[in-house]
Amino acid sequence: MKRREFLTTAAVAGAVGTVAKTASAQEVTHRIGVAIPSATHGFMGGLNFHAQDTINRVKETYPQLDFVLATAGDASKMVNDIEDMVATRDIDALVVLPFESEPLTSPVQAVAEQGIWVTVVDRGLSVPGIEDLYVAGDNPGFGRVAGEYFRENLTSGQKIVVLRGIPTTLDNERVDAFTAALDGSGVEILDMQHGNWNRDDAFNVMQDFLSKYSEIDAVWAADDDMAIGVMEAIAQAGRTEEMWIVGGAGMKEIIGRIRDGDPQLPVNVTYPPAQISSAIEMTALGLVSATPVSGRFIIGSQLVTPENAADFYFPDSPF
Amino acid sequence: MKRREFLTTAAVAGAVGTVAKTASAQEVTHRIGVAIPSATHGFMGGLNFHAQDTINRVKETYPQLDFVLATAGDASKMVNDIEDMVATRDIDALVVLPFESEPLTSPVQAVAEQGIWVTVVDRGLSVPGIEDLYVAGDNPGFGRVAGEYFRENLTSGQKIVVLRGIPTTLDNERVDAFTAALDGSGVEILDMQHGNWNRDDAFNVMQDFLSKYSEIDAVWAADDDMAIGVMEAIAQAGRTEEMWIVGGAGMKEIIGRIRDGDPQLPVNVTYPPAQISSAIEMTALGLVSATPVSGRFIIGSQLVTPENAADFYFPDSPF
């Protein structure tokens, strides 16, 4: 059962004109709660930046919308934030990136059962069908786009190493798609080890690879934090000229180096922290118009090259 | 390879504020071409209405955007429309609902290769990966939501008949999900025949069902045009009190009767012609902000009940 009760006004107004016309410019008619994890690491720092930036943009575009933004360092703080949004701020819609799936499922389900629109971002809940809208990145696409770049830019017999993330379904989806894209290319994957999306772990894994393999043509670091650890290990081994590296997720420092034509970092693959922007914008659109916004939006992973890197560089973002 | 070149200005502006601030209010900075089939039948009539309504709404919200809308009665007219938008109107983005997949694939691919953003709606192209954004309804969901309603509102041993659409993958997906939702319920499917999403064909199929089966508790007509043919056959047989009917796609006349509590039409399932609105709005958002809008948005099929029917009733729409 989907909840569209709050859209009644918008739907009727949408049919005769726009909500902006029927509501006086500054009158707040709908409030959106946004609950996200705190900026504890690079990706979440970027996500926090984009959430606030988008709230500012949407409030300017649609003065009839108001927002409550809460960030949480653990799951129980997030549950409290959400309960507070419902009890004291009378939200019409909730946009939530669950800190963890399990502890957030029942509280978010309770929100949905009160007829409040629910948009879930990135990490799914443990029970399917609770949310009205799901917005996330494309994990198989993330691996495939990287794999296709390696295939197109290496020749049969060239050798690569791969750093994997924390052992999860998500990591499996990415790696399976990466290796599938290389199938039949003759490119040799020397080794794959878990760097756990962590800079220090990646440094250690890459040191090990460098000591074991005398020829490495390229590295799929699969994450920009890991790419930084990998580059440090390569620099200490004095083998910087030997191989190029593809990270992932679009860290500002890495995108800047791609834009500037660094031969060590030819491209990147997006898994955008700005997915929170898509979630907030689509939720807002559902409140101000009759546009269908329920469903499932999977944001494609894109190849960042020197030519288009400026589109993915956000000077004010911490990530 | 994805095309985001046109987003450079927006991305940079998005990082420091909003485009609305940097562009003077009436200065057109981007133009979107919208190519859709003509309003030759109910669903397309609704889609045409929503396309124009949304263009009006977006132009009011973002005065820096301009639109070219073209409707076509056949594939070659649509190809010409699109070539004209590129050659003489200098569009930055194309939103297209392909008249047919095959003849539109190469022309739309040529548009994409010129660096123009491409959003494809509903009917996919014959080659994957051409479009930046794909927006469509959820066909398995359309069958599943209907099937779940039948399961919850019939008891084991009750009997139904099913009208199928034109034999297509799309129809198979819908019907497979419908029958899967009924598995194990004990509800008996007496018969399934193709009514081809056509009122007259559905009338004939239903006449046949009525002459063959002396007890029918409910009908899955799976489409509102077919539901109208079905109701006519039932009325002529004088069996209106015996069975209820579920159509689909949200035709205005049907939604109005659900809203008014007609016992013959308890619910409907959406497959919204307003999906064109989602496609236009998301494309516009990609032009005025740094929000990621590339990827795949599948609009969920929703159950329309007397309680929420007003949200799905568009008095000015022809459908």
Side-chain angles (χ1 to χ4, degrees):
Chain A
M1 288 293 288
K2 293 294 173 181
R3 294 153 299 284
R4 300 260 303 197
E5 291 78 357
F6 75 89
L7 284 177
T8 306
T9 317
V12 172
V16 294
T18 68
V19 170
K21 269 195 219 154
T22 56
S24 74
Q26 297 302 320
E27 185 191 334
V28 170
T29 57
H30 293 297
R31 184 171 291 126
I32 301 176
V34 178
I36 55 176
S38 320
T40 47
H41 62 287
F43 180 84
M44 275 308 162
L47 193 128
N48 273 257
F49 166 80
H50 286 290
Q52 188 59 63
D53 192 56
T54 297
I55 287 172
N56 295 345
R57 205 200 78 83
V58 174
K59 281 171 80 166
E60 192 172 323
T61 307
Y62 302 117
Q64 70 270 38
L65 296 184
D66 186 28
F67 288 86
V68 191
L69 172 64
T71 63
D74 58 56
S76 64
K77 162 76 161 64
M78 184 174 274
V79 171
N80 289 343
D81 288 345
I82 291 171
E83 286 172 356
D84 190 55
M85 287 173 186
V86 174
T88 71
R89 302 300 302 277
D90 197 24
I91 56 169
D92 300 286
L94 171 68
V95 177
V96 57
L97 195 162
F99 197 91
E100 294 166 48
S101 299
E102 200 60 58
L104 266 299
T105 295
S106 286
V108 173
Q109 188 160 28
V111 172
E113 282 166 2
Q114 288 181 60
I116 294 168
W117 180 277
V118 172
T119 299
V120 170
V121 187
D122 191 31
R123 303 174 190 163
L125 298 171
S126 306
V127 174
I130 292 173
E131 68 272 12
D132 297 277
L133 170 63
Y134 178 65
V135 175
D138 176 6
N139 287 302
F142 182 88
R144 181 179 44 75
V145 169
E148 287 168 357
Y149 182 82
F150 278 73
R151 184 185 189 105
E152 286 162 18
N153 290 277
L154 293 169
T155 53
S156 181
Q158 288 199 288
K159 298 172 199 321
I160 68 170
V161 291
V162 170
L163 287 94
R164 305 189 56 143
I166 292 171
T168 49
T169 309
L170 185 157
D171 185 62
N172 291 341
E173 286 176 358
R174 292 177 170 189
V175 173
D176 289 350
F178 178 83
T179 55
L182 284 178
D183 264 358
S185 66
V187 172
E188 186 184 348
I189 301 177
L190 294 168
D191 213 336
M192 301 206 279
Q193 296 297 333
H194 289 279
N196 304 319
W197 297 316
N198 177 284
R199 200 173 291 198
D200 296 336
D201 289 1
F203 175 84
N204 292 330
V205 168
M206 192 64 206
Q207 273 203 323
D208 183 49
F209 286 164
L210 289 162
S211 70
K212 274 194 199 152
Y213 305 109
S214 61
E215 185 203 330
I216 302 173
D217 297 296
V219 183
W220 187 41
D223 172 84
D224 288 336
D225 266 315
M226 292 206 288
I228 290 184
V230 162
M231 283 189 288
E232 181 59 27
I234 295 172
Q236 289 190 14
R239 293 171 65 178
T240 301
E241 308 287 303
E242 182 183 327
M243 66 198 81
W244 45 262
I245 301 138
V246 175
M251 184 188 289
K252 187 166 78 171
E253 182 185 343
I254 302 279
I255 299 295
R257 289 175 63 170
I258 290 168
R259 182 196 56 197
D260 299 340
D262 186 335
Q264 198 181 10
L265 292 166
V267 297
N268 202 262
V269 181
T270 59
Y271 189 83
Q275 61 188 266
I276 192 70
S277 303
S278 315
I280 292 170
E281 291 275 6
M282 291 174 76
T283 304
L285 194 56
L287 288 165
V288 300
S289 78
T291 307
V293 293
S294 74
R296 188 176 168 82
F297 178 40
I298 304 301
I299 299 170
S301 283
Q302 299 182 291
L303 191 70
V304 182
T305 65
E307 289 70 36
N308 69 5
D311 297 340
F312 301 97
Y313 188 80
F314 303 97
D316 295 344
S317 170
F319 182 71
Chain B
M1 287 290 289
K2 292 296 175 181
R3 293 153 298 285
R4 299 259 305 194
E5 292 79 357
F6 76 89
L7 283 178
T8 307
T9 318
V12 172
V16 295
T18 70
V19 170
K21 267 193 222 155
T22 56
S24 75
Q26 297 304 319
E27 185 191 337
V28 170
T29 57
H30 294 297
R31 183 170 292 126
I32 301 176
V34 179
I36 55 177
S38 320
T40 47
H41 61 286
F43 181 85
M44 275 310 161
L47 194 127
N48 274 257
F49 165 80
H50 286 291
Q52 188 59 62
D53 192 56
T54 297
I55 288 172
N56 295 346
R57 204 200 80 82
V58 174
K59 281 170 81 165
E60 192 172 326
T61 306
Y62 302 117
Q64 70 270 38
L65 295 185
D66 187 27
F67 288 86
V68 191
L69 172 64
T71 62
D74 58 57
S76 65
K77 163 77 160 64
M78 184 174 275
V79 171
N80 289 343
D81 288 344
I82 292 170
E83 285 171 356
D84 190 56
M85 287 174 186
V86 174
T88 72
R89 303 301 302 275
D90 197 24
I91 56 168
D92 301 285
L94 171 68
V95 177
V96 56
L97 195 163
F99 197 92
E100 293 166 49
S101 300
E102 200 59 58
L104 266 300
T105 296
S106 286
V108 173
Q109 189 160 28
V111 172
E113 281 166 2
Q114 288 180 60
I116 294 168
W117 180 277
V118 172
T119 299
V120 170
V121 186
D122 192 30
R123 303 175 191 161
L125 297 171
S126 306
V127 174
I130 292 174
E131 68 271 13
D132 296 280
L133 170 63
Y134 178 65
V135 176
D138 176 6
N139 287 303
F142 181 89
R144 181 179 44 73
V145 169
E148 287 169 355
Y149 182 83
F150 279 74
R151 184 186 188 105
E152 287 162 17
N153 290 277
L154 293 170
T155 52
S156 182
Q158 288 198 288
K159 297 173 200 322
I160 68 171
V161 291
V162 170
L163 287 94
R164 306 189 58 143
I166 293 170
T168 49
T169 310
L170 185 158
D171 186 63
N172 292 341
E173 286 176 359
R174 291 177 171 188
V175 174
D176 290 351
F178 178 83
T179 54
L182 284 177
D183 264 358
S185 67
V187 172
E188 186 184 349
I189 300 176
L190 294 169
D191 213 336
M192 301 206 279
Q193 296 296 334
H194 289 279
N196 305 319
W197 297 317
N198 178 285
R199 202 173 291 198
D200 296 335
D201 290 1
F203 175 83
N204 292 332
V205 168
M206 192 66 205
Q207 273 203 323
D208 184 49
F209 286 164
L210 287 162
S211 70
K212 272 195 201 152
Y213 305 108
S214 60
E215 186 202 330
I216 302 174
D217 297 296
V219 184
W220 187 40
D223 173 84
D224 288 335
D225 267 315
M226 292 205 288
I228 289 182
V230 163
M231 283 189 290
E232 181 58 28
I234 294 172
Q236 288 190 12
R239 292 169 68 176
T240 301
E241 308 285 304
E242 182 184 328
M243 66 197 82
W244 45 263
I245 301 137
V246 175
M251 184 188 290
K252 188 167 78 171
E253 182 186 342
I254 303 277
I255 299 296
R257 288 175 63 170
I258 291 168
R259 182 196 56 196
D260 299 341
D262 187 335
Q264 198 181 9
L265 292 166
V267 297
N268 201 260
V269 181
T270 60
Y271 189 82
Q275 61 189 269
I276 192 70
S277 303
S278 315
I280 293 170
E281 292 274 6
M282 290 173 78
T283 305
L285 194 56
L287 287 165
V288 301
S289 77
T291 307
V293 293
S294 74
R296 189 176 167 82
F297 178 40
I298 304 301
I299 299 170
S301 283
Q302 298 183 294
L303 191 69
V304 182
T305 64
E307 289 69 36
N308 69 5
D311 298 340
F312 301 96
Y313 188 79
F314 303 97
D316 293 344
S317 171
F319 183 69

